[in-house]
Structures are given as structure tokens and as C-alpha cells.
Amino acid sequence: MYGVEAVACGARRGHKAGVTAPVSFDARFTRALPADPSRENATRQVRGAAFSFVSPTPVAEPVMLAWVPEVAALLGLPAEPTPEWTLALAGNRLLPGMVPYAAAYGGHQFGNWAGQLGDGRAITLGELVAPDGARWDVQLKGPGPTPYSRRADGRAVLRSSLRELVCSEAMFHLGVPTTRALALVGTGEPVVRDLLYDGNPRAEPGAITTRVAPSFLRFGSLELPASRGDVRLLEQLVDYALATQFPALGPRSPQAVVALFEEVVRRTAALVLQWQAVGFVHGVMNTDNMSLLGVTLDYGPYGWLEGFDPAWTPNTTDLPGRRYAYGNQPSVAQWNLMCLANALVPLVGETKPLEAALDAFADVAADAQLSTMRAKLGLSPLEARAHDDRALLRDLYRVLSSTETDWTLFFRALADVTPALEGAPDAALVQPLERAFYAPAEVVGEVRAGFAAWLRAYLARVGAEGLEPTQRRARMNGVNPLYVPRNALAHTVIQAVEQGDTALLATWLEVLRRPYEEQPGREAWAARRPEWARHQPGCSMLSCSS
């Protein structure tokens, strides 16, 4: 490892602002796993290797557009970006100890095996060893072509780069496992993209996102060597995962591999139910976008549930089948885990233990759903009421579907419906919820009786909790966010940054750091989707180019 001097952020435990602390890069991944023997940066099939050595392509005019101080503190980096780090995160300079590479992996895309995919527009600079000993892979997204770019340019536009930075940080502050984002660097170079794949490409500003994670290993990392019958490479990748990310499971054995799969099943089930609880829709849950660590990975055509609709997908590429729609995410996760299980069979020697672990997914997911939704409703996990609570949830989904109802605002408004209203007329009982309805008043009037009937059943259940209204409200608002990164907000912020104004982006990131707290003067960041965004590309319609 080689040291790089940096100024540690004052937020880091044990360090004070202005005190230099060594930041080191290690190369465990490239040291432990076989490399592509060719150093040619040309698209090709790479066999028998976990990665290819490749350097970022320098850009014309790098400028720091956003620097996330909490992530900088996590890594032991300066509280403010230095010129050195701006150049490094633009791909224009390598710091001592950085050994850049692009990883090889495959994947099932939209249910079909796609073969070799790999880091087509991502390059990992190395594994940063923070002053506290934590290790973080530091990766650039959009730094130029790699051997896995599949005839693409390896670049990213500002639009998609900003969306990834904002959403990954928002997810972290929401408490959802995720990769993190350190920085957003403008490149000063245009990138041509066809946003909706409709034959209308245009040049957009280019940008590079720096994202960090303990590891970027994916389901597809193991699927690719398994698909080729390369058991030795599969063994090496699993050995690396066990040693670096799952050390408690011990060295590789059939039992350890099954235990690894069981842990991935558990984490994936919990993750997807957390997505659904906050209303997040990934949009492209291909196996190459699923993390072995059970964290949210690869923010592309994602969206946030606004009007409740289990069949909603933000991804135009996912139409008309809606494979990755909001309500399908748990079943798709289980299907993806089945693909991972198939890849692991050569290391286990039989299928039954893996099948048993996969079969457990449904129970884990059902328990996670009941737990997360009870929390959103402010209900305690009373085992004797599990059956009744599941019925209450089914009825809730039915009434939410009766009119366009904002998922996020509904649960915030529900906290304001108190038991004292239980005997009130329907209009008075439902009135606190009306800020969550997109439909006009006359439509709401037609469905009000259904909401009122559900609310009375819900309040009867709340009465068994014995909580004071203020306690219940605090409990619910502690798990139901007020601020989420809605696509309409992203559209507005992107337009501002494209015009050179980063102030709105800085404000939005600050709002999203406290998603559960009411922030006076920032009500616009929590508003329902405006009508203009209903059919606006980049808001209601996104693609894998988003």
C-alpha cells in the first residue's frame, strides 16, 4: 500500500479538521484474482480473468459540481475537494497506490442471459483504506471506454450522473443499504445520448460520478465464469468474497458456499422490502445490477412511487411487460437469486441445499413486508394480530388503488388521523389524507367511503396500541419519509446544473440528509408531483440511458 496525504474531515471520530491523516490505497482485488493478460483497451471477450487493467481517459475541463462531505469523512478525505482530488476523480490523474481496473461479469437482462457484460462505463481506482481501517472500493462511473464497453463510449451524461449521486445519498439517509457517492465532476465534454431510444439523439454535458462501496461484486460476477464452465475462476471469486466480505463464514467449502447464499438471500429479501417501504422502484433489476452484499447498486432508470400502482415501472425499456414494476420487485429478486444459485452449484455439488435456501426467500420476504408495513402504520409486532394485520394491509392496497394516491404523502398524512376522528363523518375523517390525492375533489368524493371504512378499521387497531397521538405520530414520522428524490425535482435540478448553477443541487442534498424531519421553508421539496411532470421525459419516462 502507498500513502496519500489528505486532510481529514472534522466529522471523523478521532480526527480534527486541519489535521493530516494518511489515506492509503490497496490492490487486493487485482492482487488476489486473475487479470486479463491483454492491456489493449479495445472491446473484446475476456476469458479466464476477473478484470482488465485500464486507465480512465482524461477529460478536457474537469470541474467539481458536488462533493459529499459525509462520504469524504468516511474515507478520511478533505472536507472540501482539493485540486488534486478533482483531477483524480475526473480521471485526469492517478494518485499513488491507485491501480485502476474494470471488472468482468455477465448477467441476465430482462430475463435473458446476455453473456459477458462487465464494467462498460465504470473503472475502479482501487481499494481505499481509511484511517479507521475500513476499506472502500472507489469507482468512477463515466470515465471512458473499457474492454467491456460493447461499442459504447464509456461516458456518462450529467443527467444520469447527478441522478445517481443524489439517489444513492438519499437512500443512505433513508436507512436503505446502498452504495455511496463521493463526488460529481463535470467533464467539459459533450456526450451524445438518445434519451428515449426514439431516434432523437442529442449532445448533453458529460459528467463522472464517484461511487464507493465495500465491494462491487454482483450476482453476475459469479454467473459469468459459471456460464463458461470456468470453475477455477468461480472458486477464486468466491474465495475472495468470503475472505473480504463474509469472513465469519470461513474458507470455501460446500457448507460455506451454502451459508454465503443463505446470507445473500436474507439480505436481498430485506433490501427489496425496504425499497418498497419507501416507494423506490429500481427499474432495471438485471442480475448484473444485484449486489452480493445486499446493497442498492446501479441507479439508472429508477423512480419513486407517487400515485400508488403495483404495475408502475419508470423504465420505458421495461414496457410493455413491466417485469421490473414496483409490485414485481420481490418475485424478480427471487428469480435473480435462482440464477445465482445455479452459478454456485459447481461449488456445492448438489442443488438441494441451495433450493432450500431459495425456498426460504418467500417466508423472509413476507415477514419483512409485514414488519416494515406495521412500522409505517405505527403498529407493534403483535404475533396474535398477524393475520388481522395482513388483512388490514390488503385492504389498504385496495383503497390506495381506488384513486391516485401519493405513497409518501399518504403515510405522513395518516399520522395526523387520530382516534378522536373515528366517529366523525366520512369527509372529516378522510380530510387529513386529501393532500396525498392527485384526483380532483369530485373524484375523491366517490372513493371517500372506502377510505373512511379502512380508516375506522385501522383506528380500531391503533386503539389496541395504547399510544398517545403525539407518540404515535412521532413513531410513524420516524419511519415514513417526507422528502424523497422525486424525478420531477431531479429534472428541475438537472436543468439548473446544466446552466452552471449548482446551488439548487446543494440545497436538495441538504434537504435529503434529513428525510424524516419537517424542514420549515422547504415544503416545495416535499410536494406532490406537478402535473407538468406526468408525461415529461426524465420524469415519468426514463430509459436505460437515463
Side-chain angles (χ1 to χ4, degrees), residues 184-234:
L184 177 67
V185 177
T187 65
E189 298 178 353
V191 177
V192 176
R193 288 291 183 270
D194 187 345
L195 174 60
L196 296 178
Y197 301 143
D198 60 358
N200 293 293
R202 69 180 182 91
E204 302 182 50
I208 297 172
T209 309
T210 304
R211 53 187 190 176
V212 301
S215 171
F216 287 95
L217 287 171
R218 309 148 184 269
F219 291 12
S221 302
L222 306 184
E223 284 187 283
L224 182 60
S227 74
R228 293 170 167 174
D230 191 344
V231 177
R232 179 56 187 147
L233 179 55
L234 178 63

Side-chain angles (χ1 to χ4, degrees), residues 415-541:
D416 295 328
V417 179
T418 67
L421 292 171
E422 187 174 353
D426 288 358
L429 179 59
V430 176
Q431 191 278 327
L433 303 181
E434 293 190 359
R435 64 182 184 181
F437 297 146
Y438 285 90
E442 59 270 20
V443 175
V444 171
E446 295 173 1
V447 300
R448 186 178 289 128
F451 274 94
W454 182 85
L455 283 172
R456 290 192 173 91
Y458 166 68
L459 290 174
R461 171 69 173 88
V462 166
E465 296 289 317
L467 286 177
E468 293 293 327
T470 54
Q471 292 176 307
R472 172 176 150 269
R473 188 176 190 273
R475 176 191 282 188
M476 292 178 66
N477 287 351
V479 298
N480 292 313
L482 180 58
Y483 305 97
V484 295
R486 298 169 183 266
N487 282 338
L489 293 173
H491 181 76
T492 300
V493 172
I494 289 164
Q495 287 185 317
V497 177
E498 286 182 341
Q499 297 302 313
D501 182 2
T502 60
L504 208 58
L505 172 59
T507 298
W508 197 22
L509 287 170
E510 180 59 34
V511 168
L512 293 171
R513 287 185 176 100
R514 296 180 289 135
Y516 298 100
E517 301 176 24
E518 293 187 13
Q519 301 177 39
R522 291 174 167 173
E523 291 79 9
W525 298 99
R528 289 195 312 258
R529 179 200 63 235
E531 191 59 29
W532 61 259
R534 185 179 293 274
H535 302 294
Q536 171 68 43
C539 296
S540 60
M541 298 176 287

Side-chain angles (χ1 to χ4, degrees), residues 28-394:
R28 283 194 305 179
F29 190 89
T30 56
R31 199 167 57 241
L33 295 165
D36 175 3
S38 173
R39 295 294 185 108
E40 181 186 8
N41 190 4
T43 303
R44 61 184 184 276
Q45 289 292 306
V46 176
R47 298 182 181 276
F51 65 93
S52 301
F53 288 110
V54 62
S55 293
T57 303
V59 300
E61 298 178 14
V63 58
M64 186 65 68
L65 300 176
W67 177 263
V68 181
E70 303 97 318
V71 180
L74 194 68
L75 303 178
L77 301 185
E80 299 291 338
T82 64
E84 179 183 47
W85 277 101
T86 299
L87 290 174
L89 301 184
N92 284 30
R93 173 184 297 179
L94 294 179
L95 300 182
M98 289 180 174
V99 181
Y101 66 89
Y105 49 83
H108 282 84
Q109 298 192 325
F110 297 94
N112 300 303
W113 176 243
Q116 176 183 291
L117 298 169
D119 285 333
R121 58 170 177 168
I123 294 176
T124 300
L125 297 176
E127 185 182 52
L128 186 149
V129 184
D132 63 1
R135 291 171 174 264
W136 300 92
D137 282 351
V138 179
Q139 186 177 90
L140 305 183
K141 188 170 183 179
T146 78
Y148 309 98
S149 293
R150 304 189 300 282
R151 299 180 302 280
D153 57 18
R155 292 299 187 187
V157 295
L158 172 63
R159 166 175 47 82
S160 63
S161 301
L162 185 152
R163 282 170 50 82
E164 171 138 4
L165 176 132
V166 167
C167 198
S168 56
E169 285 307 291
M171 292 285 267
F172 172 78
H173 292 291
L174 286 165
V176 180
T178 181
T179 57
R180 301 293 303 274
L182 169 64
L184 177 67
V185 177
T187 65
E189 298 178 353
V191 177
V192 176
R193 288 291 183 270
D194 187 345
L195 174 60
L196 296 178
Y197 301 143
D198 60 358
N200 293 293
R202 69 180 182 91
E204 302 182 50
I208 297 172
T209 309
T210 304
R211 53 187 190 176
V212 301
S215 171
F216 287 95
L217 287 171
R218 309 148 184 269
F219 291 12
S221 302
L222 306 184
E223 284 187 283
L224 182 60
S227 74
R228 293 170 167 174
D230 191 344
V231 177
R232 179 56 187 147
L233 179 55
L234 178 63
E235 289 174 338
Q236 290 173 299
L237 283 160
V238 170
D239 287 344
Y240 180 81
L242 287 168
T244 63
Q245 306 304 322
F246 302 91
L249 300 180
R252 176 172 47 83
S253 67
Q255 294 76 23
V257 173
V258 171
L260 170 64
F261 183 64
E262 290 172 339
E263 180 64 13
V264 176
V265 168
R266 184 192 65 78
R267 293 188 188 190
T268 303
L271 175 68
V272 172
L273 269 297
Q274 286 179 277
W275 288 354
Q276 290 192 305
V278 296
F280 175 76
V281 187
H282 188 283
V284 61
M285 287 177 64
N286 298 328
T287 59
D288 56 295
N289 294 333
M290 299 294 291
S291 163
L292 278 182
L293 275 60
V295 302
T296 313
L297 178 68
D298 283 346
Y299 292 89
Y302 67 80
W304 289 79
L305 198 62
E306 291 175 324
F308 175 74
D309 179 3
W312 182 70
T313 177
N315 186 359
T316 57
T317 314
D318 195 26
L319 299 173
R322 300 178 185 269
R323 177 182 179 84
Y324 298 140
Y326 171 81
N328 291 342
Q329 291 182 123
S331 61
V332 170
Q334 187 174 24
W335 191 91
N336 289 344
L337 285 162
M338 178 191 68
C339 295
L340 176 60
N342 287 334
L344 293 173
V345 169
L347 306 188
V348 177
E350 57 177 325
T351 61
K352 286 185 178 179
L354 296 167
E355 290 171 351
L358 185 61
D359 289 343
F361 177 92
D363 290 336
V364 173
D367 290 344
Q369 182 192 38
L370 181 60
S371 175
T372 56
M373 292 306 297
R374 276 172 158 172
K376 289 180 75 67
L377 294 173
L379 304 177
S380 298
L382 303 177
E383 184 57 35
R385 291 186 175 271
H387 177 77
D388 292 342
D389 288 350
R390 287 192 171 94
L392 188 70
L393 288 174
R394 286 194 297 271

